[in-house]
Short mmCIF file of all heavy atoms in Angstrom, two decimals:
data_model
loop_
_atom_site.label_atom_id
_atom_site.label_comp_id
_atom_site.label_asym_id
_atom_site.label_seq_id
_atom_site.Cartn_x
_atom_site.Cartn_y
_atom_site.Cartn_z
N LEU A 380 23.33 41.29 -107.81
CA LEU A 380 24.18 40.40 -107.03
C LEU A 380 23.88 38.94 -107.36
O LEU A 380 24.81 38.12 -107.52
CB LEU A 380 23.99 40.66 -105.53
CG LEU A 380 24.81 39.78 -104.59
CD1 LEU A 380 26.30 40.00 -104.81
CD2 LEU A 380 24.46 40.07 -103.13
N VAL A 381 22.61 38.59 -107.47
CA VAL A 381 22.24 37.22 -107.81
C VAL A 381 22.82 36.84 -109.17
O VAL A 381 23.37 35.73 -109.35
CB VAL A 381 20.70 37.06 -107.81
CG1 VAL A 381 20.29 35.74 -108.45
CG2 VAL A 381 20.16 37.15 -106.38
N ALA A 382 22.74 37.76 -110.14
CA ALA A 382 23.28 37.48 -111.48
C ALA A 382 24.79 37.25 -111.42
O ALA A 382 25.32 36.33 -112.05
CB ALA A 382 22.94 38.62 -112.42
N LYS A 383 25.48 38.09 -110.65
CA LYS A 383 26.95 37.95 -110.54
C LYS A 383 27.32 36.62 -109.88
O LYS A 383 28.23 35.92 -110.32
CB LYS A 383 27.52 39.11 -109.71
CG LYS A 383 27.51 40.46 -110.40
CD LYS A 383 28.07 41.51 -109.46
CE LYS A 383 27.96 42.90 -110.07
NZ LYS A 383 28.42 43.95 -109.12
N LEU A 384 26.61 36.29 -108.80
CA LEU A 384 26.94 35.05 -108.08
C LEU A 384 26.66 33.82 -108.94
O LEU A 384 27.40 32.83 -108.88
CB LEU A 384 26.15 34.98 -106.77
CG LEU A 384 26.56 35.99 -105.69
CD1 LEU A 384 25.68 35.83 -104.45
CD2 LEU A 384 28.02 35.83 -105.30
N ARG A 385 25.60 33.87 -109.73
CA ARG A 385 25.32 32.74 -110.62
C ARG A 385 26.44 32.56 -111.63
O ARG A 385 26.84 31.42 -111.94
CB ARG A 385 23.98 32.98 -111.34
CG ARG A 385 22.76 32.69 -110.45
CD ARG A 385 21.47 33.04 -111.17
NE ARG A 385 20.31 32.68 -110.35
CZ ARG A 385 19.06 33.04 -110.64
NH1 ARG A 385 18.82 33.75 -111.75
NH2 ARG A 385 18.07 32.68 -109.86
N MET A 386 26.94 33.68 -112.17
CA MET A 386 28.06 33.60 -113.11
C MET A 386 29.30 33.02 -112.43
O MET A 386 30.00 32.18 -112.99
CB MET A 386 28.37 34.98 -113.69
CG MET A 386 27.33 35.51 -114.66
SD MET A 386 27.76 37.13 -115.29
CE MET A 386 29.29 36.77 -116.14
N LYS A 387 29.58 33.48 -111.20
CA LYS A 387 30.74 32.97 -110.48
C LYS A 387 30.62 31.47 -110.22
O LYS A 387 31.57 30.71 -110.38
CB LYS A 387 30.90 33.71 -109.13
CG LYS A 387 31.55 35.08 -109.21
CD LYS A 387 31.60 35.72 -107.83
CE LYS A 387 32.34 37.03 -107.85
NZ LYS A 387 33.79 36.87 -107.99
N CYS A 388 29.43 31.04 -109.81
CA CYS A 388 29.24 29.63 -109.49
C CYS A 388 29.35 28.77 -110.74
O CYS A 388 29.88 27.65 -110.69
CB CYS A 388 27.88 29.42 -108.85
SG CYS A 388 27.77 30.15 -107.21
N ASN A 389 28.88 29.26 -111.87
CA ASN A 389 29.03 28.51 -113.12
C ASN A 389 30.50 28.39 -113.50
O ASN A 389 30.94 27.38 -114.03
CB ASN A 389 28.25 29.19 -114.25
CG ASN A 389 26.76 29.07 -114.04
OD1 ASN A 389 26.29 28.14 -113.38
ND2 ASN A 389 26.00 30.02 -114.57
N ALA A 390 31.26 29.47 -113.25
CA ALA A 390 32.69 29.45 -113.60
C ALA A 390 33.45 28.48 -112.73
O ALA A 390 34.47 27.91 -113.14
CB ALA A 390 33.28 30.85 -113.47
N THR A 391 32.98 28.23 -111.51
CA THR A 391 33.67 27.31 -110.59
C THR A 391 32.84 26.05 -110.38
O THR A 391 32.87 25.44 -109.31
CB THR A 391 33.92 27.99 -109.23
OG1 THR A 391 32.64 28.38 -108.67
CG2 THR A 391 34.80 29.20 -109.37
N SER A 392 32.08 25.67 -111.39
CA SER A 392 31.16 24.55 -111.23
C SER A 392 31.86 23.20 -111.17
O SER A 392 31.32 22.22 -110.71
CB SER A 392 30.14 24.53 -112.37
OG SER A 392 30.81 24.43 -113.61
N SER A 393 33.11 23.15 -111.69
CA SER A 393 33.84 21.87 -111.62
C SER A 393 34.13 21.56 -110.18
O SER A 393 34.80 22.32 -109.49
CB SER A 393 35.14 21.96 -112.41
OG SER A 393 35.92 23.03 -111.93
N PRO A 394 33.57 20.45 -109.65
CA PRO A 394 33.68 20.18 -108.20
C PRO A 394 35.11 19.90 -107.78
O PRO A 394 35.84 19.19 -108.45
CB PRO A 394 32.78 18.95 -108.00
CG PRO A 394 32.76 18.29 -109.35
CD PRO A 394 32.86 19.38 -110.36
N GLN A 395 35.49 20.49 -106.66
CA GLN A 395 36.80 20.22 -106.06
C GLN A 395 36.56 19.59 -104.70
O GLN A 395 36.24 20.27 -103.75
CB GLN A 395 37.61 21.51 -105.91
CG GLN A 395 38.09 22.09 -107.21
CD GLN A 395 38.85 23.38 -106.97
OE1 GLN A 395 38.44 24.21 -106.18
NE2 GLN A 395 39.96 23.54 -107.63
N HIS A 396 36.66 18.28 -104.62
CA HIS A 396 36.38 17.60 -103.37
C HIS A 396 37.63 17.56 -102.51
O HIS A 396 38.74 17.48 -103.01
CB HIS A 396 35.90 16.18 -103.64
CG HIS A 396 34.62 16.13 -104.43
ND1 HIS A 396 33.41 16.54 -103.91
CD2 HIS A 396 34.38 15.76 -105.72
CE1 HIS A 396 32.46 16.39 -104.83
NE2 HIS A 396 33.02 15.94 -105.94
N ILE A 397 37.44 17.59 -101.25
CA ILE A 397 38.56 17.55 -100.32
C ILE A 397 39.04 16.11 -100.21
O ILE A 397 38.39 15.27 -99.61
CB ILE A 397 38.15 18.08 -98.95
CG1 ILE A 397 37.60 19.50 -99.09
CG2 ILE A 397 39.29 18.05 -97.97
CD1 ILE A 397 37.06 20.07 -97.82
N ASN A 398 40.15 15.83 -100.83
CA ASN A 398 40.67 14.48 -100.87
C ASN A 398 41.74 14.31 -99.81
O ASN A 398 42.89 14.67 -100.01
CB ASN A 398 41.23 14.18 -102.27
CG ASN A 398 41.75 12.77 -102.37
OD1 ASN A 398 41.39 11.92 -101.58
ND2 ASN A 398 42.58 12.51 -103.37
N THR A 399 41.31 13.83 -98.67
CA THR A 399 42.29 13.67 -97.59
C THR A 399 42.94 12.29 -97.63
O THR A 399 43.95 12.07 -96.98
CB THR A 399 41.62 13.87 -96.22
OG1 THR A 399 40.53 12.94 -96.12
CG2 THR A 399 41.09 15.27 -96.09
N GLU A 400 42.36 11.35 -98.38
CA GLU A 400 42.95 10.03 -98.49
C GLU A 400 43.90 10.02 -99.68
O GLU A 400 43.48 10.12 -100.82
CB GLU A 400 41.87 8.97 -98.69
CG GLU A 400 40.89 8.87 -97.53
CD GLU A 400 41.56 8.36 -96.27
OE1 GLU A 400 42.48 7.54 -96.41
OE2 GLU A 400 41.18 8.77 -95.18
N VAL A 401 45.20 9.93 -99.43
CA VAL A 401 46.19 9.96 -100.49
C VAL A 401 46.68 8.54 -100.74
O VAL A 401 47.06 7.83 -99.81
CB VAL A 401 47.38 10.87 -100.10
CG1 VAL A 401 48.38 10.92 -101.22
CG2 VAL A 401 46.86 12.25 -99.76
N THR A 402 46.65 8.13 -101.99
CA THR A 402 47.09 6.78 -102.33
C THR A 402 48.56 6.62 -102.01
O THR A 402 49.39 7.43 -102.39
CB THR A 402 46.85 6.51 -103.83
OG1 THR A 402 45.49 6.78 -104.11
CG2 THR A 402 47.19 5.08 -104.17
N ALA A 403 48.88 5.56 -101.34
CA ALA A 403 50.28 5.31 -100.97
C ALA A 403 51.08 4.93 -102.21
O ALA A 403 50.63 4.16 -103.05
CB ALA A 403 50.35 4.18 -99.94
N LEU A 404 52.25 5.50 -102.31
CA LEU A 404 53.11 5.23 -103.45
C LEU A 404 53.98 4.02 -103.18
O LEU A 404 54.30 3.71 -102.03
CB LEU A 404 54.00 6.45 -103.72
CG LEU A 404 53.25 7.73 -104.08
CD1 LEU A 404 54.24 8.88 -104.11
CD2 LEU A 404 52.58 7.58 -105.42
N PRO A 405 54.41 3.30 -104.24
CA PRO A 405 55.30 2.16 -104.02
C PRO A 405 56.62 2.61 -103.45
O PRO A 405 57.13 3.67 -103.80
CB PRO A 405 55.48 1.58 -105.43
CG PRO A 405 55.12 2.70 -106.35
CD PRO A 405 54.10 3.50 -105.66
N LYS A 406 57.19 1.83 -102.58
CA LYS A 406 58.46 2.19 -101.96
C LYS A 406 59.61 1.86 -102.90
O LYS A 406 59.62 0.82 -103.55
CB LYS A 406 58.64 1.43 -100.64
CG LYS A 406 57.55 1.75 -99.62
CD LYS A 406 57.78 1.00 -98.34
CE LYS A 406 56.68 1.29 -97.34
NZ LYS A 406 56.85 0.56 -96.09
N ASP A 407 60.57 2.77 -102.95
CA ASP A 407 61.70 2.61 -103.85
C ASP A 407 62.91 2.03 -103.15
O ASP A 407 64.02 2.12 -103.63
CB ASP A 407 62.06 3.96 -104.47
CG ASP A 407 60.91 4.52 -105.28
OD1 ASP A 407 60.14 3.71 -105.82
OD2 ASP A 407 60.79 5.75 -105.35
N PHE A 408 62.72 1.46 -101.98
CA PHE A 408 63.88 0.98 -101.23
C PHE A 408 63.41 -0.09 -100.26
O PHE A 408 62.23 -0.35 -100.08
CB PHE A 408 64.54 2.13 -100.47
CG PHE A 408 63.61 2.82 -99.55
CD1 PHE A 408 63.50 2.42 -98.23
CD2 PHE A 408 62.79 3.85 -100.00
CE1 PHE A 408 62.62 3.03 -97.38
CE2 PHE A 408 61.90 4.45 -99.15
CZ PHE A 408 61.81 4.05 -97.83
N ASP A 409 64.35 -0.69 -99.60
CA ASP A 409 64.06 -1.70 -98.60
C ASP A 409 63.29 -1.08 -97.45
O ASP A 409 63.71 -0.09 -96.88
CB ASP A 409 65.39 -2.29 -98.10
CG ASP A 409 65.13 -3.41 -97.09
OD1 ASP A 409 63.97 -3.82 -96.98
OD2 ASP A 409 66.11 -3.86 -96.48
N ALA A 410 62.18 -1.69 -97.13
CA ALA A 410 61.30 -1.09 -96.12
C ALA A 410 61.62 -1.54 -94.71
O ALA A 410 60.81 -1.43 -93.82
CB ALA A 410 59.85 -1.43 -96.44
N GLY A 411 62.80 -2.04 -94.51
CA GLY A 411 63.19 -2.47 -93.17
C GLY A 411 63.29 -1.30 -92.22
O GLY A 411 63.43 -0.16 -92.63
N PRO A 412 63.24 -1.53 -90.94
CA PRO A 412 63.29 -0.43 -89.96
C PRO A 412 64.63 0.29 -90.03
O PRO A 412 65.68 -0.33 -90.10
CB PRO A 412 63.12 -1.14 -88.61
CG PRO A 412 63.51 -2.56 -88.87
CD PRO A 412 63.17 -2.85 -90.28
#
Side-chain angles (χ1 to χ4, degrees):
L380 179 62
V381 168
K383 289 179 185 176
L384 291 179
R385 282 176 176 170
M386 289 180 62
K387 280 178 175 287
C388 291
N389 291 334
T391 59
S392 59
S393 56
Q395 289 179 317
H396 298 291
I397 303 175
N398 182 20
T399 57
E400 298 294 327
V401 182
T402 305
L404 298 172
K406 299 181 181 179
D407 299 330
F408 57 92
D409 183 11

